[in-house]
Amino acid sequence: MKKIIVSIIAFAAFAVSCDDFIEKEARGTQTLENYFQTAQECENYVNELTHRLLLTNDWYTLLAPRLTNETATDDAWMGNTGQDSGAFRPCAQYIVTPENMGCMNSIYTAHYYTIQSVNIGLEKMALSPLSETQKNQYIGESLFVRAYCYYELVNDFGAVPLYTTSLGTGDLKLQRSPVTAVYAQIEGDLKESAAKLEKIPVDRNGRVNKWAAYALLARVSLFQEKWAEAKLYSNKVITEGPYALEADFLKIWDVNNHNGVESILEAQSSSVQDKSLGSMLPTFSGARGEDKKNFPSNDAKDVIDGWGWCMPTSDLENAYLSENDVVRRRSTITKWGEAAYGDEVLNPTHKFSLNDNKSGRICRKYYIPIATRRALDKKDGHLPLNVPLIRLAEMYLTRAEAAYQLGDAGGALADINVIRARVKLDPKVGLAGPNLLRQIYKERRLELAFEGLRLFDIRREKDPSTGKPVIESLMGPNGTFVKYNLSSTDQYETTNLKEAQDKGINFSPTKNLLWPIPQLEIDLSGGLITQNAGY
């Protein structure tokens, strides 16, 4: 389908006419009235919905906003100091306004585009002449897609317009629904998705299945402080699902281990050279300014021309060092001149342009090994790195946090020690009370860095000392992360000041716990959509 990126209002008017949505997409004379008649048509439609949700081969629509969220945390700098940072700067430096949101506009628009498409598909597939089993699969997968869209929207923007039927020209004036209502819809969609997918065989190659629905239910329950439900669903995935922790942490992001034993849902990729089916993430966040002269081979095939966005902070590295966490540190961060972990023979001293890199570090999770690079003639958009969205380790950490909040300190400690044991760390013993909660938070950071959860986590986690969101103790003029950066002596971060060293100083707790609603959407609604507080 054509990638028409329009606002929710404009798309509603566009879709109801049915002129361009399907009829003009090389499908003969098919319309919404005669489509959805076969299992193949329904599968193609749902595959497109899932693709739109993930879009790993499209750098701007969803990838850039998701990385922007990372750069608004203590884990990542914008990183690229050789190009204009207008797409990242507003949120990364907390100077965002409704009129200047950088690339965060696109995730709002894109998700409503997908939601409208889901609603159309659900209505049409319910009437299609398919078997109940076939309907259950395609409807179940579609409900998950809608739930995931709303999950990201409500965590980025708070209260948002909520609709579950296809919009017509008479339905253009949508107001924001309360956060509780949005979450209720997410939960309802996921429960129905899991029920419909209950008897569908689990496909380990990227299709949404019931375990993905249960895992996302565990996550959104945790985010709402529904501790019992968070424990219930995470435990269900751990004890009943067909998943296991990878023995080797590095294998989770291995280009040769797609859909591994730990992966519950991951965006798919392929290096097929005559199609752009690969991930843009390794290019988007790859080391900027690699030079073949820095590789032992002196071969241009070993080089990926990375863009250098979303680079790890020394603060994150210090968190690993404080635990003597060698495995997760080296699997997450490669410093300039250090061997790429797991690729030490072919890349013993990974070097790149320090003039174009704020931190002198790159994210190892996004790295493409040299042997894989050599097999590719085309690299931009052809990189075979699957992107995990939900994996089993998160379920252990979710169960740990829920158990703690339910008074089961022993269970919480046991779960974080399972995660620690995998990376050869000694178990924590004797932790209880606030110190145990802080350790659970820390394990989430170390385990899940650069996997799309840090901003949402520090917004929702409560500092045991103040009861306020953790982000308030990190960011702002008195934030510990800001003070650390201003007094840092890191040899890389403090010598490249083309990205401001006072990262996070502009954070305000009165408004920056959410991003603003794009002003365009407010204008198109005639003011019915209201703005978030403080903007």
Side-chain angles (χ1 to χ4, degrees):
M1 293 185 185
K2 298 194 300 184
K3 297 176 182 175
I4 303 170
I5 305 302
V6 294
S7 73
I8 175 179
I9 303 300
F11 183 74
F14 160 81
V16 75
S17 71
C18 301
D19 285 339
D20 233 14
F21 184 64
I22 285 183
E23 192 170 5
K24 292 187 179 180
E25 178 60 28
R27 290 177 175 167
T29 59
Q30 290 175 328
T31 68
L32 285 177
E33 281 62 47
N34 62 23
Y35 198 70
F36 303 105
Q37 298 304 300
T38 68
Q40 189 62 62
E41 288 175 343
C42 292
E43 181 169 328
N44 290 345
Y45 191 90
V46 173
N47 286 348
E48 174 66 16
L49 294 177
T50 306
H51 173 68
R52 285 194 216 162
L53 175 69
L54 307 179
L55 283 178
T56 55
N57 60 346
D58 178 336
W59 75 267
Y60 194 84
T61 308
L62 294 179
L63 184 56
R66 286 167 176 164
L67 291 181
T68 293
N69 278 347
E70 300 283 6
T71 67
T73 76
D74 49 349
D75 281 1
W77 298 93
M78 290 184 289
N80 180 343
T81 56
Q83 290 183 304
D84 178 75
S85 59
F88 287 88
R89 189 186 309 113
C91 293
Q93 296 187 355
Y94 287 99
I95 56 175
V96 61
T97 68
E99 297 84 7
N100 181 23
M101 297 178 61
C103 59
M104 286 307 297
N105 276 312
S106 70
I107 196 169
Y108 188 101
T109 301
H111 277 343
Y112 276 114
Y113 177 30
T114 300
I115 288 166
Q116 170 74 341
S117 301
V118 170
N119 293 342
I120 291 171
L122 289 174
E123 291 168 3
K124 299 300 181 181
M125 285 188 286
L127 302 175
S128 65
L130 273 62
S131 70
E132 285 303 305
T133 298
Q134 291 171 324
K135 285 185 181 182
N136 283 341
Q137 176 169 351
Y138 302 130
I139 290 175
E141 292 180 27
S142 299
L143 288 165
F144 178 92
V145 169
R146 185 169 69 185
Y148 201 98
C149 287
Y150 274 122
Y151 148 75
E152 286 198 311
L153 287 168
V154 76
N155 279 283
D156 276 326
F157 305 105
V160 290
L162 176 65
Y163 70 106
T164 57
T165 58
S166 57
L167 293 178
T169 53
D171 306 314
L172 301 184
K173 300 298 184 181
L174 292 174
Q175 300 183 52
R176 300 172 73 182
S177 294
V179 168
T180 52
V182 179
Y183 266 121
Q185 185 61 51
I186 294 169
E187 290 179 1
D189 281 352
L190 291 174
K191 289 175 183 177
E192 186 177 354
S193 173
K196 288 187 177 299
L197 296 172
E198 182 65 33
K199 296 182 180 179
I200 306 298
V202 173
D203 186 331
R204 296 298 296 274
N205 294 311
R207 298 206 76 90
V208 172
N209 59 52
K210 65 178 180 179
W211 301 112
Y214 286 130
L216 190 54
L217 267 170
R219 184 187 293 179
V220 299
S221 297
L222 188 77
F223 282 18
Q224 297 174 86
E225 300 184 352
K226 292 184 174 181
W227 310 120
E229 290 89 341
K231 185 176 181 181
L232 170 69
Y233 292 120
S234 57
N235 182 69
K236 185 177 183 67
V237 176
I238 293 167
T239 60
E240 300 178 28
Y243 307 102
L245 294 178
E246 289 282 1
D248 181 355
F249 184 82
L250 190 63
K251 284 193 68 176
I252 296 166
W253 289 74
D254 191 331
V255 295
N256 299 309
N257 187 43
H258 288 183
N259 308 299
V261 296
E262 185 169 338
S263 179
I264 299 171
L265 181 67
E266 60 184 57
Q268 304 298 295
S269 67
S270 170
S271 59
V272 175
Q273 294 291 278
D274 62 346
K275 297 180 174 64
S276 292
L277 300 174
S279 173
M280 280 298 297
L281 183 57
T283 299
F284 204 121
S285 291
R288 187 171 180 82
E290 287 186 353
D291 191 318
K292 68 177 185 177
K293 291 181 292 186
N294 290 327
F295 294 97
S297 63
N298 194 33
D299 190 337
K301 275 187 170 290
D302 292 356
V303 174
I304 286 182
D305 187 18
W307 300 352
W309 295 107
C310 194
M311 297 292 104
T313 63
S314 63
D315 184 84
L316 174 62
E317 183 178 31
N318 289 339
Y320 290 109
L321 294 173
S322 70
E323 295 287 335
N324 195 28
D325 191 347
V326 175
V327 173
R328 287 188 295 196
R329 180 189 73 80
R330 296 198 64 195
S331 298
T332 305
I333 299 171
T334 300
K335 293 175 72 170
W336 186 92
E338 183 180 54
Y341 193 39
D343 203 16
E344 292 88 351
V345 173
L346 296 180
N347 197 357
T349 54
H350 195 187
K351 295 180 180 180
F352 39 87
S353 172
L354 291 176
N355 191 52
D356 295 324
N357 182 297
K358 168 66 177 177
S359 74
R361 297 163 175 84
I362 64 165
C363 180
R364 173 61 180 86
K365 289 181 177 180
Y366 305 157
Y367 172 82
I368 301 295
I370 301 301
T372 302
R373 299 179 185 197
R374 291 175 178 175
L376 302 173
D377 293 323
K378 298 178 181 179
K379 297 177 182 178
D380 191 352
H382 294 76
L383 299 174
L385 183 74
N386 278 16
V387 181
L389 294 179
I390 310 175
R391 58 186 179 88
L392 188 63
E394 182 194 342
M395 295 297 100
Y396 277 97
L397 293 166
T398 296
R399 190 171 70 176
E401 188 174 343
Y404 170 86
Q405 297 291 352
L406 292 169
D408 181 11
L413 197 56
D415 275 341
I416 65 171
N417 282 334
V418 168
I419 298 302
R420 291 174 62 82
R422 189 253 296 270
V423 290
K424 301 178 175 59
L425 292 179
D426 292 335
K428 293 289 182 178
V429 295
L431 286 182
N435 288 336
L436 175 55
L437 183 59
R438 290 188 182 96
Q439 189 65 41
I440 294 168
Y441 291 165
K442 188 175 187 180
E443 293 296 334
R444 282 184 68 89
R445 184 187 189 191
L446 301 181
E447 179 74 20
L448 302 171
F450 296 99
E451 297 185 33
L453 287 170
R454 183 60 179 169
L455 180 62
F456 297 164
D457 273 348
I458 60 178
R459 284 175 171 178
R460 68 163 184 88
E461 292 170 345
K462 299 299 188 298
D463 187 323
S465 299
T466 66
K468 296 179 180 179
V470 165
I471 193 172
E472 295 188 28
S473 65
L474 296 172
M475 303 297 181
N478 297 311
T480 56
F481 176 65
V482 176
K483 289 181 176 180
Y484 164 77
N485 285 325
L486 291 176
S487 63
S488 173
T489 59
D490 182 81
Q491 63 175 316
Y492 302 112
E493 293 170 345
T494 57
T495 55
N496 184 341
L497 298 178
K498 289 185 284 184
E499 181 175 345
Q501 189 68 15
D502 61 357
K503 172 179 166 61
I505 199 168
N506 298 307
F507 171 86
S508 169
T510 62
K511 63 178 180 180
N512 293 140
L513 294 177
L514 294 169
W515 300 132
I517 302 294
Q519 188 60 43
L520 173 64
E521 303 301 331
I522 294 174
D523 294 342
L524 287 170
S525 75
L528 283 178
I529 295 177
T530 56
Q531 188 52 266
N532 282 328
Y535 292 105

